[in-house]
Amino acid sequence: MTEEFLSFTKQRGNDLSTPSPVYGFPGLKPGDHWCLCLSRWKEALDAGVAPPVILSATHEAALDYIPLEVFKEHAVMNG
């Protein structure tokens, strides 16, 4: 996660930074890892705030929608 992405997704109505103890959700902070749906990641990409991806944790079907080179540009070296 990045601060930019967390702010972006909160503005879109999906607050990932606020804990929700009722659901056992601790809230996310920059540097945390979290599984995102492809459509939200693409939306963030288009807005210039896509968080880094861990290529080994990214389903290969995502390549039907996003070119590998784009993922590589946003990849972290280790996860």
Side-chain angles (χ1 to χ4, degrees), residues 4-72:
E4 295 81 10
F5 175 77
L6 291 170
S7 176
F8 170 79
T9 198
K10 184 175 184 178
Q11 291 172 2
R12 297 287 192 273
N14 187 19
D15 182 2
L16 296 174
S17 58
T18 302
S20 182
V22 171
Y23 297 106
F25 180 68
L28 301 175
K29 61 187 180 309
D32 285 346
H33 297 170
W34 191 254
C35 183
L36 296 177
C37 67
L38 183 63
S39 60
R40 182 54 55 121
W41 192 86
K42 175 69 165 83
E43 184 181 12
L45 176 69
D46 292 344
V49 295
V53 297
I54 299 172
L55 290 177
S56 63
T58 303
H59 196 284
E60 70 179 71
L63 297 174
D64 293 341
Y65 304 95
I66 308 286
L68 179 58
E69 289 306 313
V70 173
F71 283 126
K72 286 181 176 181

